[in-house]
Amino acid sequence: MEASDHPTDDFPHTHHVKAIGQNSDLLAAVRQAVAMHAPELPETAFSCRASREGRYLAVTCTLEAQSQAQLEAIYQALRSVDGVILCL
């Protein structure tokens, strides 16, 4: 299979990054981490959903990824955010 057979290898493309954690300030921390690598994102690019019991918060960021390197940098930044337990 050639690289062109994999749509996720083609950039730019829309990508959804999700961070899940317990930190009550998780949204602000995720915005700050992502902004280092995608500073042009509006606040509307981020959405939150609390778990059923409210213990966890999932923050989803929708962005136009420019490269694999950019995505890797974003995921690395999110893994270093205090309170993040999972990145998808």
Side-chain angles (χ1 to χ4, degrees), residues 67-88:
S67 67
Q68 185 65 35
Q70 180 191 32
L71 286 176
E72 289 172 9
I74 289 170
Y75 280 109
Q76 181 65 35
L78 289 175
R79 284 190 290 271
S80 69
V81 170
D82 188 36
V84 169
I85 56 174
L86 180 65
C87 294
L88 304 170

Side-chain angles (χ1 to χ4, degrees), residues 1-54:
M1 240 180 221
E2 294 183 30
S4 62
D5 293 335
H6 300 285
T8 57
D9 292 342
D10 296 329
F11 290 93
H13 71 263
T14 301
H15 195 82
H16 305 283
V17 176
K18 185 176 284 193
I20 301 170
Q22 298 178 345
N23 190 335
S24 62
D25 295 327
L26 190 63
L27 176 58
V30 166
R31 281 184 179 153
Q32 184 177 9
V34 172
M36 294 186 305
H37 307 287
E40 72 286 350
L41 287 179
E43 287 188 28
T44 57
F46 297 87
S47 62
C48 292
R49 183 167 176 244
S51 65
R52 186 179 324 171
E53 296 177 8

